[in-house]
Each structure stands twice: as C-alpha cells, then as structure tokens.
C-alpha cells in the first residue's frame, strides 16, 4: 500500500546556484575576520566606595592605559559561544518519544592570547582573575566585583560588523600553564584562558535584553498614561455629538 511519494521533482538547490551565492557581493564569512572586546569590571569596591581588593585599582589603571585594548587585539583565537537546550523525554505518548525543552545552558569558551615581551596581557588576565578573591585575606570576592563582559564580532572584508554576541557576567575561570623550551627559538609565548559566563546574547536583535527594571517601570508608566487617555476618548466624542 502506497502512503505517498515526496521524492519526485527538481532539486531545491544546484551547485551553480551555490557558487553564484558565494561570488555575490555578500561573499562568505571567514573565521579569520573577527573582533574581540574584553571589558573587565570596575570591581572590588564596597558600598562605601573603598577598595576591598588590592588589585582593583591596578585593573582600573590597565583599562585606562590601553592594556585592555591591547589584550583584546592580541586574542588570536576564540570561540563563538553556543547554546544547549536541556531536554527530557516525554514518554506519556504512544509511538516514538519526544524531547521536551526544560531549560538551557552554556559551555565555557577558550581563548588564546599572544604575549608581549613585558607580559602585559598575562598580567591583565591575572589581575582580572584576582578580583574573585582577596590575596591578602583569602576571602572570596563579591560576584559583581569580578564579572565583566566580552563582545565577539564577525567582520566582513571591509571590517564591517555583520554579527556579534556578548558574554554577560563573565570572568577568567582558568589560566593555563605556559611552557618554556630552549628549542622553541622563534615561537611567540601565548596564554590560554577559559572564560566562564552566565549567558550570552545576540547583539543584532537582543542587545537590549534583558530590559532593566528602571526601563520597565518607565514603560509601565507610559502605558498606564496611554490607557487612561484612550479610555477617555469615547466620553469626549459622545459629548461632541
């Protein structure tokens, strides 16, 4: 018994069409065309504004003297983050089971950064990481004091940003060891860093997500005024006629 045939017909796409798309003005996205912006936190300050971590001031200085930008520019390898939907099987049905979404999670990302002769890039990452704990008292820091952001952009051939994402509440979780070798005469020293973060968002259409509490209150106030004005229109119209 035949239950339907969906094979007959022309192909959806052919090779010539694919080549034409690649040769068009848009071209292709290249993994070597990207931009990274590391934004560390202000960090390490109590409600009184007095620094609680001896490295908080040092990190602020590095952010202002160009070290943060230099470290961003020397990030020679990094991964665009992914997203995983956590699921559980729905077995309360006949036939094949279905996977039901229950949440979502994100994996850490790795970055490789080139080091200058003064190792300023390594010092910058280490200083950022040390905001998570106080090396004098060994007490752990407040979450907001050591989390910052990382922005990753896909660039085209003209260095225009075509796509971007932002890692929210991130910090350098792991700084890998560095190997020294007499035989590696012409090799540049590099540092590998694993960044942990809470979540990431697409900067092309999620840049303002989540909306801050103040913006939500302002929007609620505007909507309330609009509803009040709209509710009065029928009464005003009836008086005119």
């Amino acid at each position: 018994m035949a239950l339907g045939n969906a094979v007959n017909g022309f192909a959806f796409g052919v090779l010539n069409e694919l080549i034409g798309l690649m040769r068009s003005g848009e071209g292709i996205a290249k993994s070597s065309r990207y931009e990274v912006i590391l934004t560390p936190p202000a960090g390490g300050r109590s409600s009184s504004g007095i620094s609680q971590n001896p490295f908080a001031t040092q990190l602020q200085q590095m952010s202002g003297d160009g070290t943060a930008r230099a470290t961003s520019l020397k990030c020679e390898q990094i991964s665009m983050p992914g997203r995983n939907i956590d699921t559980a099987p729905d077995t309360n049905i006949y036939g094949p089971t279905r996977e039901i979404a229950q949440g979502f999670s994100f994996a850490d990302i790795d970055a490789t950064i080139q080091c200058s002769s003064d190792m300023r890039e390594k010092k910058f990452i280490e200083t950022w990481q040390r905001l998570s704990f106080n090396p004098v008292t060994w007490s752990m820091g407040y979450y907001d004091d050591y989390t910052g952001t990382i922005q990753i952009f896909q660039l085209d051939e003209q260095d225009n940003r075509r796509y971007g994402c932002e890692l929210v509440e991130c910090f350098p979780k792991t700084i890998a060891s560095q190997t020294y070798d007499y035989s590696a005469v012409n090799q540049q020293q590099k540092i590998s860093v694993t960044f942990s973060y809470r979540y990431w968002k697409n900067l092309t259409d999620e840049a303002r997500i989540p909306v801050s509490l103040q913006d939500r209150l302002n929007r609620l106030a505007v909507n309330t005024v609009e509803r009040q004005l709209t509710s009065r229109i029928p009464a005003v119209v009836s008086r005119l006629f």
Side-chain angles (χ1 to χ4, degrees):
M1 180 178 62
L3 298 179
N5 187 345
V7 177
N8 295 331
F10 292 103
F12 175 77
V14 294
L15 181 59
N16 291 337
E17 183 180 2
L18 177 60
I19 295 176
L21 291 174
M22 291 183 177
R23 291 179 176 177
S24 65
E26 294 297 326
I28 61 174
K30 296 182 179 180
S31 58
S32 60
R33 308 290 299 178
Y34 66 94
E35 178 186 21
V36 178
I37 300 178
L38 304 175
T39 305
R45 297 195 174 274
S46 65
S47 58
S48 63
I50 301 176
S51 177
Q52 300 297 305
N53 191 302
F55 290 99
T57 303
Q58 181 176 335
L59 185 64
Q60 293 175 357
Q61 293 174 350
M62 288 181 168
S63 301
D65 65 8
T67 302
R69 176 171 174 78
T71 305
S72 300
L73 292 173
K74 291 192 175 183
C75 182
E76 71 165 26
Q77 187 177 30
I78 195 169
S79 302
M80 192 75 77
R83 181 189 291 118
N84 180 67
I85 301 298
D86 303 326
T87 62
D90 179 12
T91 58
N92 193 28
I93 57 175
Y94 290 105
T97 60
R98 294 179 294 195
E99 292 292 321
I100 305 299
Q102 289 189 329
F104 51 92
S105 57
F106 308 93
D108 296 343
I109 67 166
D110 299 321
T112 303
I113 302 171
Q114 301 172 354
C115 293
S116 303
S117 59
D118 60 358
M119 300 292 284
R120 63 164 60 183
E121 296 79 14
K122 181 177 176 64
K123 296 175 184 176
F124 172 75
I125 296 298
E126 286 183 351
T127 302
W128 183 351
Q129 189 187 58
R130 283 181 292 196
L131 290 186
S132 63
F133 66 95
N134 191 315
V136 178
T137 63
W138 303 111
S139 61
M140 303 309 296
Y142 291 103
Y143 182 75
D144 292 340
D145 288 343
Y146 59 83
T147 55
T149 61
I150 296 180
Q151 293 180 332
I152 308 173
F153 296 97
Q154 173 70 55
L155 306 179
D156 60 16
E157 294 292 340
Q158 291 73 41
D159 290 334
N160 297 313
R161 295 173 177 173
R162 307 306 296 268
Y163 178 86
C165 70
E166 179 177 309
L167 279 62
V168 182
E169 299 179 18
C170 71
F171 62 95
K173 178 181 178 180
T174 304
I175 301 176
S177 61
Q178 293 176 288
T179 302
Y180 286 87
D181 185 357
Y182 277 134
S183 63
V185 179
N186 297 318
Q187 295 185 15
Q188 184 179 13
Q189 186 62 275
K190 302 174 183 179
I191 179 174
S192 297
V193 186
T194 299
F195 288 95
S196 182
Y197 57 97
R198 184 182 179 192
Y199 67 96
W200 65 268
K201 58 183 179 180
N202 184 333
L203 293 178
T204 59
D205 53 14
E206 297 177 342
R208 297 192 62 187
I209 297 176
V211 181
S212 66
L213 177 59
Q214 184 62 48
D215 289 341
R216 282 182 285 174
L217 292 176
N218 293 338
R219 185 179 302 176
L220 178 61
V222 171
N223 292 339
T224 301
V225 173
E226 289 179 350
R227 286 195 297 269
Q228 291 176 349
L229 294 176
T230 304
S231 63
R232 296 177 182 177
I233 291 178
V236 174
V237 174
S238 62
R239 293 176 183 175
L240 293 176
F241 296 96

